[in-house]
């Protein structure tokens, strides 16, 4: 009887142990499921937020690029006035028409010129314009003022823009503030929100204007007093904010609602809104944007379409699937040992669930991997997406025949190692961008995000992460950067790039004691080409001149287009002695003069064009690149004054 009682107690204890283990497994499984669910959900939320932030940054850059392009158009108009003794109405209309702004830069209301008038010249000016065929012309609003301005040119001269003909913008405080800022600074200036004179009817939109000053002298005055005294007028452009922003953000409005405010995010400062503000938007990004000396606030909020496109069922699958697995494990462990067949069925079901989960991971965008902590990062596990990036299969990686380091560019190794060390030291996830070269020899940019797994002693064990192909994004960013530094017509560096190279050249000359030279090249009578053969022939001539300049100078020399028909060539390392450097510079300039004197052929047209070349030698003593450029410009004007088609040299200052 005692033996039977002992056996019964042992059996009871065993049953209790099995029940306790089952409950512990259930609690642990549910806890792990919730942790994994939160981890994946937070990761997806962060990636979606990053995607929206990147989208907003690209939209902001698109806005900046477009506004800089508009500014460049106005600077081109100011350059037309600086290059001509007088710009007539027909010349202005031809210039604006040749820009094809309705195709290349949609959204601009017009491009015009406003003339500054002292009170003493008002009556004579009105008489002159009326004599041109505008008998009803007047400067408005009426009333006596010490200083007037009048919109005399505005293209296209359609019915809407004719409402602004003769309008005195200087009489209106908001416009006057921007005009005075442009006059005093010599730079483009943007107004606050205004209602354009062109607005009428029920479709009135907020508007703004950009002004670029035009001075009487060819070179901008170098002091505030001279700029105020020498002001002739302004090249300007009015913009209807809604029409313009619709054209700029047309491709972005599916993913983001856009609001644009002047200075502050307030209703009275609203310039543009793509729709009513949605307070339930999940992602909101605000950027401060500086345009022509004035700040805008751009607010991007996610649309329901963007949030739906980036919604994922993966966290819910993990939560419900993990909970189901935990419950099944609990049921298996809690079942009687006599039900072996049911346990085998449950195990088979678990295996199928595992395969389904693995399939889900394989379908996650990008490449999911686990690898070693040290280069060349031997792979422990990797998803099938790696084949699209490298051309190698997951089996080749897992077997050790290839590793991740075999496809990563060697020069990107330091950046990766630095990111890993930083993440390990701060116990945070890491994120790094680098390049991979696949078996097809194509180089792709990728973004890797992951974490460094460690043991209880904080020693690194492995890397777990995701690799995503970002080549298209990098390509778009590079294209945006090129717009800021390359002349779109000749593909030569533009003025901004040139000034940067000049500063480097001056620094090198000071550091190494070497002499160099700067050529300022202006094409004689270039305006006749446009007037005689048309602007298309003028553009062909500029492109051919750019090609000849590149062929004539040495490799490593800088050739840039400053604007209009002006080119600049910078030569470095011409010698240690000023006379030797000057002789070499003169020889190269002579070769350029000869090359540019060769005839130009445009279809059946055979044209001869000559340059005037100013040479400014330098040894690094100049403190500013602008001073060196000004000396070369002065030498060029001496060449023109001396008869054109010749060289004129100024030594180092």
């Amino acid at each position: 009887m005692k033996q039977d009682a002992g056996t019964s107690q042992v059996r009871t204890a065993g049953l209790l142990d099995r029940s306790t283990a089952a409950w512990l497994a259930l609690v642990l499984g549910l806890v792990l499921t919730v942790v994994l669910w939160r981890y994946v959900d937070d990761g997806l939320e962060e990636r979606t937020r990053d995607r929206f932030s990147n989208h907003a940054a690209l939209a902001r850059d698109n806005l900046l690029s477009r506004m800089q392009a508009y500014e460049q158009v106005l600077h081109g108009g100011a350059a037309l006035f600086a290059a001509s003794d007088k710009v007539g109405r027909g010349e202005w209309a031809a210039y604006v028409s040749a820009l094809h702004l309705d195709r290349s830069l949609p959204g601009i209301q017009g491009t015009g010129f406003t003339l500054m008038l002292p009170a003493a010249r008002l009556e004579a000016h009105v008489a002159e314009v009326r004599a041109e065929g505008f008998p009803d012309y007047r400067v408005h609003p009426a009333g006596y003022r010490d200083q007037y301005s009048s919109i005399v040119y505005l293209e296209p001269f359609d019915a809407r823009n004719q409402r602004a003909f003769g309008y005195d913008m200087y009489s209106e405080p908001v416009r006057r503030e921007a005009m005075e800022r442009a006059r005093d600074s010599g730079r483009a200036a943007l107004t606050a929100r205004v209602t354009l004179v062109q607005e009428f009817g029920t479709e009135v939109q907020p508007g703004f204007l950009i002004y670029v000053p035009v001075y009487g002298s060819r070179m901008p005055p170098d002091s505030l007093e001279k700029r105020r005294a020498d002001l002739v007028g302004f090249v300007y452009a009015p913009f209807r904010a809604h029409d313009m922003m619709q054209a700029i953000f047309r491709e972005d409005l599916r993913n983001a609602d856009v609001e644009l405010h002047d200075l502050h995010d307030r209703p009275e400062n609203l310039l543009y809104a793509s729709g009513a503000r949605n307070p339930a938007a999940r992602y909101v990004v605000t950027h401060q944007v500086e345009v022509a000396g004035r700040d805008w606030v751009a607010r991007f909020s996610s649309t329901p379409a963007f949030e739906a496109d980036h919604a994922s069922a993966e966290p819910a699958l993990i939560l419900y699937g993990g909970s189901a697995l935990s419950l099944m494990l609990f049921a298996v462990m809690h079942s009687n040992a006599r039900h072996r067949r049911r346990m085998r069925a449950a195990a088979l079901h678990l295996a199928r669930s595992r395969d389904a989960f693995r399939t889900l991971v394989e379908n996650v965008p990008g490449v999911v991997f686990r690898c070693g902590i040290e280069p060349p990062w031997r792979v422990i596990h990797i998803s099938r997406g790696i084949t699209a990036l490298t051309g190698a299969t997951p089996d080749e990686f897992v077997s050790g025949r290839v590793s991740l380091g075999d496809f990563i560019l060697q020069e990107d190794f330091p950046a990766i190692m630095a990111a890993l060390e930083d993440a390990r030291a701060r116990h945070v996830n890491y994120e790094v961008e680098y390049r991979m070269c696949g078996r097809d020899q194509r180089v792709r940019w990728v973004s890797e995000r992951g974490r460094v797994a460690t043991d209880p002693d904080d020693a690194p064990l492995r890397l777990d992460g995701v690799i995503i192909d970002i080549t298209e994004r990098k390509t778009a960013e590079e294209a945006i950067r090129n717009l800021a530094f390359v002349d779109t017509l000749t593909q030569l560096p533009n003025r901004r790039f040139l000034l940067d190279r000049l500063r480097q050249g001056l620094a090198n000359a000071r550091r190494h004691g070497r002499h160099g030279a700067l050529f300022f090249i202006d094409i004689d009578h270039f305006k006749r080409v446009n007037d005689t053969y048309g602007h298309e022939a003028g553009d062909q001539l500029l492109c051919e001149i750019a090609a000849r300049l590149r062929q004539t100078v040495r490799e490593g020399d800088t050739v840039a287009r400053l604007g209009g028909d002006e080119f600049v060539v910078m030569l470095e390392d011409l010698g240690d002695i000023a006379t030797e450097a000057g002789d070499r510079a003169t020889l190269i300039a002579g070769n350029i003069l000869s090359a540019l004197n060769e005839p130009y052929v445009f279809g059946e047209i055979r044209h001869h064009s000559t340059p005037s070349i100013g040479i400014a030698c330098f040894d690094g003593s100049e403190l500013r690149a602008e001073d060196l450029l000004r000396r070369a410009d002065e030498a060029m004007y001496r060449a023109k004054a001396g008869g054109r088609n010749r060289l004129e040299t100024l030594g180092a200052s």
Side-chain angles (χ1 to χ4, degrees):
M1 293 294 294
K2 291 182 179 180
Q3 184 176 2
D4 293 340
T7 302
S8 177
Q9 291 177 355
V10 170
R11 290 177 178 174
T12 302
L15 289 173
L16 290 175
D17 289 344
R18 287 196 294 275
S19 179
T20 301
W23 281 105
L24 288 175
L26 176 61
V27 171
L28 181 61
L30 291 176
V31 169
L32 291 176
T33 297
V34 171
V35 171
L36 182 59
W37 166 65
R38 290 301 307 166
Y39 175 81
V40 174
D41 187 64
D42 290 344
L44 289 173
E45 177 72 8
E46 186 66 22
R47 286 197 293 274
T48 304
R49 190 177 302 278
D50 288 345
R51 289 192 184 102
F52 185 76
S53 297
N54 291 336
H55 178 81
L58 289 175
R60 174 207 60 196
D61 293 343
N62 187 29
L63 172 63
L64 278 173
S65 176
R66 183 67 65 86
M67 296 308 299
Q68 289 167 359
Y70 289 137
E71 287 186 40
Q72 194 62 35
V73 168
L74 297 182
H75 281 294
L80 176 64
F81 278 90
S84 304
D85 294 332
K86 182 179 180 181
V87 177
R89 192 175 304 278
E91 292 174 310
W92 182 257
Y95 167 75
V96 175
S97 176
L99 295 176
H100 301 295
L101 296 178
D102 56 340
R103 297 199 305 268
S104 59
L105 294 173
I108 190 169
Q109 175 63 31
T111 306
F113 172 73
T114 184
L115 180 67
M116 298 302 295
L117 295 166
R121 286 198 57 228
L122 179 61
E123 293 183 4
H125 165 74
V126 172
E128 290 173 3
V129 177
R130 289 180 176 179
E132 293 177 9
F134 301 94
D136 297 328
Y137 171 79
R138 63 185 178 85
V139 176
H140 58 95
Y144 177 80
R145 296 180 287 279
D146 291 335
Q147 181 72 49
Y148 295 82
S149 72
S150 177
I151 299 174
V152 292
Y153 304 152
L154 184 56
E155 296 293 332
F157 200 54
D158 53 21
R160 184 181 290 272
N161 280 336
Q162 287 177 21
R163 293 171 57 85
F165 187 42
Y167 177 62
D168 180 4
M169 293 186 287
Y170 200 70
S171 66
E172 196 274 315
V174 175
R175 293 173 173 85
R176 182 170 62 248
E177 183 277 334
M179 295 167 77
E180 290 176 344
R181 182 156 38 90
R183 174 199 66 193
D184 293 347
S185 65
R187 301 186 181 92
L190 176 73
T191 69
R193 166 179 163 163
V194 299
T195 299
L196 299 178
V197 180
Q198 291 92 328
E199 296 293 344
F200 64 94
T202 59
E203 296 182 356
V204 176
Q205 300 181 16
F208 57 91
L209 305 95
I210 299 178
Y211 297 96
V212 172
V214 175
Y215 301 103
S217 57
R218 291 184 180 272
M219 295 299 295
D222 55 2
S223 69
L224 177 62
E225 293 75 16
K226 290 181 180 179
R227 284 193 287 271
R228 291 180 174 180
D230 200 33
L231 181 69
V232 174
F234 299 88
V235 173
Y236 85 105
F239 301 87
R240 302 183 80 208
H242 187 273
D243 292 346
M244 174 185 175
M245 298 307 165
Q246 281 291 109
I248 293 176
F249 295 117
R250 182 174 58 250
E251 302 298 330
D252 304 304
L253 296 182
R254 170 175 169 77
N255 294 325
D257 289 324
V258 183
E259 291 183 12
L260 195 65
H261 291 81
D262 177 57
L263 294 181
H264 304 290
D265 185 357
R266 296 172 182 168
E268 63 270 24
N269 294 343
L270 180 65
L271 289 171
Y272 168 77
S274 60
R277 178 175 291 193
N278 179 15
R282 193 167 185 177
Y283 310 102
V284 177
V285 176
T286 301
H287 287 291
Q288 199 85 4
V289 181
E290 182 179 352
V291 178
R294 193 171 183 88
D295 288 336
W296 281 349
V297 177
R299 184 181 187 273
F300 302 90
S301 54
S302 59
T303 63
F306 175 87
E307 294 173 5
D309 290 345
H310 293 82
S312 174
E314 182 180 352
L317 289 175
I318 291 175
L319 178 62
Y320 297 125
S323 299
L325 288 174
S326 299
L327 289 172
M328 284 188 291
L329 181 61
F330 168 78
V332 170
M333 295 183 64
H334 197 267
S335 296
N336 193 288
R338 292 174 297 180
H339 301 95
R340 301 284 182 150
R341 188 167 53 191
R342 293 177 59 190
M343 292 180 63
R344 286 196 295 270
L348 180 60
H349 184 73
L350 287 173
R352 290 174 178 173
S353 298
R354 180 199 61 199
D355 293 339
F357 185 79
R358 180 178 298 171
T359 301
L360 177 64
V361 171
E362 289 290 346
N363 292 328
V364 171
V367 179
V368 181
F369 70 92
R370 171 173 287 179
C371 68
I373 192 71
E374 296 291 339
W377 299 290
R378 299 291 181 186
V379 169
I380 302 170
H381 170 77
I382 199 161
S383 62
R384 289 192 298 267
I386 193 63
T387 304
L389 285 177
T390 64
T393 64
D395 289 339
E396 291 179 271
F397 281 92
V398 175
S399 65
R401 294 198 295 273
V402 295
S403 63
L404 290 174
D406 296 336
F407 300 95
I408 299 174
L409 271 61
Q410 292 292 322
E411 52 266 39
D412 290 349
F413 274 41
I416 299 173
M417 296 302 298
L420 294 177
E421 287 296 327
D422 180 67
R424 176 187 169 192
R426 298 192 295 121
H427 297 88
V428 296
N429 293 344
Y430 70 90
E431 182 173 4
V432 63
E433 295 180 358
Y434 54 87
R435 294 163 294 174
M436 299 186 77
C437 182
R439 288 176 173 174
D440 57 359
Q441 301 305 309
R442 179 184 173 189
V443 176
R444 297 172 175 86
W445 275 96
V446 299
S447 173
E448 179 179 325
R449 296 188 62 181
R451 65 182 182 88
V452 180
T454 58
D455 62 13
D457 297 327
D458 202 33
L461 295 176
R462 63 182 180 273
L463 299 179
D464 296 319
V466 177
I467 300 172
I468 299 175
D469 189 345
I470 60 169
T471 304
E472 291 184 3
R473 192 196 83 194
K474 284 290 187 179
T475 302
E477 292 174 352
E478 184 65 24
I480 292 172
R481 283 193 293 270
N482 285 340
L483 287 175
F485 295 104
V486 178
D487 176 56
T488 56
L489 176 63
T490 61
Q491 298 304 306
L492 291 176
N494 61 13
R495 182 186 185 93
R496 181 184 295 180
F497 184 88
L498 170 67
L499 289 175
D500 184 64
R501 291 299 302 270
L502 284 178
R503 295 184 186 101
Q504 295 181 19
L506 289 174
N508 291 336
R510 283 193 294 269
R511 187 180 302 111
H512 302 296
R514 302 282 289 175
H515 291 262
L518 187 72
F519 299 164
F520 199 112
I521 303 169
D522 185 88
I523 307 305
D524 298 330
H525 306 299
F526 175 77
K527 185 175 179 296
R528 295 178 183 174
V529 178
N530 288 333
D531 294 342
T532 304
Y533 306 118
H535 287 276
E536 183 176 353
D539 290 346
Q540 293 180 14
L541 176 61
L542 292 175
C543 292
E544 178 61 24
I545 289 171
R548 293 186 185 184
L549 288 175
R550 281 193 291 256
Q551 294 170 0
T552 306
V553 301
R554 306 168 303 173
E555 184 177 357
D557 293 336
T558 300
V559 180
R561 183 188 179 198
L562 198 60
D565 59 340
E566 295 177 339
F567 296 84
V568 174
V569 177
M570 184 181 72
L571 308 176
E572 296 184 71
D573 295 326
L574 291 178
D576 298 325
I577 303 173
T579 55
E580 175 187 355
D583 292 341
R584 291 183 179 177
T586 302
L587 177 61
I588 296 174
N591 293 337
I592 292 176
L593 190 67
S594 299
L596 299 186
N597 269 275
E598 293 293 325
Y600 300 84
V601 179
F602 312 117
E604 298 179 356
I605 300 172
R606 186 178 179 85
H607 174 73
H608 288 270
S609 184
T610 62
S612 295
I613 303 177
I615 306 173
C617 297
F618 63 87
D619 57 5
S621 60
E622 289 85 355
L623 296 179
R624 300 192 321 134
E626 291 80 357
D627 296 335
L628 176 60
L629 190 61
R630 190 177 298 111
R631 288 202 300 111
D633 185 35
E634 180 183 348
M636 182 274 293
Y637 275 105
R638 290 186 183 181
K640 281 191 176 294
R644 305 179 188 270
N645 194 23
R646 61 192 301 274
L647 313 174
E648 189 69 31
T649 303
L650 285 179
S653 62

